[in-house]
Amino acid sequence: MRLKDQVILITGSTTGIGEHMARRFIQEGAKVILHGRDAVRGQALRKELGEDKAAFCQGSLEDAAYPEKLAADAIVAFGKVDALVNNAALTIRGRIDTTDAAFFDRMMAVNARAPMLLIRALLPELKKNTGVVLNIGSVLAHCGQANMLAYSMSKGALMTMTRNLADSLGMDRVRVNQLNVGWTLSDNEYQVKIGDGLGEGWPERLPPSVVPMGRLLMPEDIAAACVYWVGRESYPVTGTVAELEQYPIIGRYANAEGDEKK
């Protein structure tokens, strides 16, 4: 019960990593505010988790006015908010030649602007409760793939915001940290990679250089790590950006000697 009596808002929590966070946080004694765009899915998950332990808020983070409403609704749900997990993100593919202004603005609105506006709206509540923000970033923030230009840029912006706010909000006892997540095998990722041309069963065909530990990260692995960062155990640490991947992200150079096991 590492999160006993905490109330945690998780954006984008009706599927994938966010859903696994919600399940794990409740197991650890928390109450959660689910968020997503699909009301049917959200309400079904709330019912499954228990209506005394989970609330659901529906809305699109592309709407600049919505984060303020989401913050207010989250506080009403259980009377307080102790932690915010900015997990929701668009992962739409786009190279430089297909990334126009509208595409870029949409990506930044959900992945960078909405987290900032949510923190802004919840700040009085977080100050009152010695609260914590956990931003879910990506290792792609450091460079990224050619077909994920805008996404990589948005996660770079999120990373800078994490450090900036950790510094500026420290005197208010509000902590802000970030997990840069590596390649994670969610249901959505499986389908996306089929669309990218990898074919059915692709996770079993990945080379050892990609999965030296024998498998990709799973959503439950990320959820387990998040328990520490949203909980009181990680106090007073703030401003940390931690990579969750199975090899070093910075400075790694692919083996060119013909033996991937060395």
Side-chain angles (χ1 to χ4, degrees):
M1 304 294 283
R2 296 162 65 190
L3 303 177
K4 184 175 172 56
D5 299 326
Q6 284 190 240
V7 176
I8 305 171
L9 168 60
I10 314 164
T11 64
S13 48
T14 60
T15 60
I17 292 173
E19 178 186 342
H20 279 81
M21 280 188 222
R23 295 181 183 279
R24 182 60 186 265
F25 292 177
I26 287 175
Q27 290 174 6
E28 296 289 351
K31 294 180 179 179
V32 300
I33 297 103
L34 306 166
H35 160 263
R37 292 174 295 179
D38 188 324
V40 173
R41 181 183 294 154
Q43 293 294 356
L45 180 58
R46 181 194 181 196
K47 184 176 181 180
E48 179 187 344
L49 296 176
E51 296 185 1
D52 59 329
K53 299 175 183 177
F56 171 68
C57 298
Q58 179 192 19
S60 173
L61 294 172
E62 291 182 52
D63 180 356
Y66 181 64
E68 187 170 353
K69 181 180 187 305
L70 175 56
D73 291 344
I75 295 169
V76 168
F78 292 113
K80 66 169 185 169
V81 171
D82 297 292
L84 163 65
V85 182
N86 282 309
N87 170 70
L90 294 179
T91 58
I92 307 168
R93 271 49 175 169
R95 294 174 178 267
I96 181 64
D97 57 335
T98 60
T99 301
D100 58 16
F103 181 97
F104 179 82
D105 288 348
R106 185 184 179 206
M107 188 72 71
M108 294 300 289
V110 174
N111 296 6
R113 185 185 70 190
M116 185 272 292
L117 291 175
L118 257 178
I119 296 169
R120 179 176 182 267
L122 281 171
L123 193 52
E125 184 73 7
L126 295 172
K127 288 180 180 180
K128 182 173 66 176
N129 297 326
T130 316
V132 59
V133 176
L134 180 61
N135 294 321
I136 304 302
S138 169
V139 297
L140 299 188
H142 297 292
C143 177
Q145 300 164 206
N147 68 343
M148 297 192 76
L149 171 63
Y151 175 83
S152 301
M153 292 175 70
S154 71
K155 291 302 185 179
L158 189 72
M159 187 163 59
T160 299
M161 182 191 75
T162 295
R163 292 179 170 134
N164 181 284
L165 291 182
D167 184 46
S168 65
L169 300 180
M171 292 296 183
D172 295 312
R173 305 293 192 269
V174 175
R175 299 185 297 124
V176 187
N177 295 297
Q178 178 160 324
L179 298 181
N180 278 342
V181 176
W183 199 355
T184 303
L185 184 55
S186 64
D187 291 341
N188 182 62
E189 181 66 7
Y190 183 84
Q191 296 301 325
V192 166
K193 286 302 182 182
I194 288 178
D196 285 347
L198 293 189
E200 292 286 351
W202 60 263
E204 286 72 46
R205 297 192 298 273
L206 295 174
S209 59
V210 175
V211 284
M213 298 298 168
R215 65 167 175 83
L216 287 172
L217 289 163
M218 300 298 289
E220 50 265 41
D221 299 325
I222 310 305
C226 290
V227 172
Y228 172 77
W229 289 104
V230 299
R232 306 302 185 191
E233 295 171 277
S234 54
Y235 187 90
V237 177
T238 190
T240 292
V241 177
E243 262 75 54
L244 297 187
E245 189 47 287
Q246 53 190 293
Y247 47 76
I249 297 301
I250 305 297
R252 188 186 193 222
Y253 191 79
N255 192 346
E257 299 178 23
D259 185 356
E260 290 186 350
K261 294 183 180 180
K262 295 182 179 180

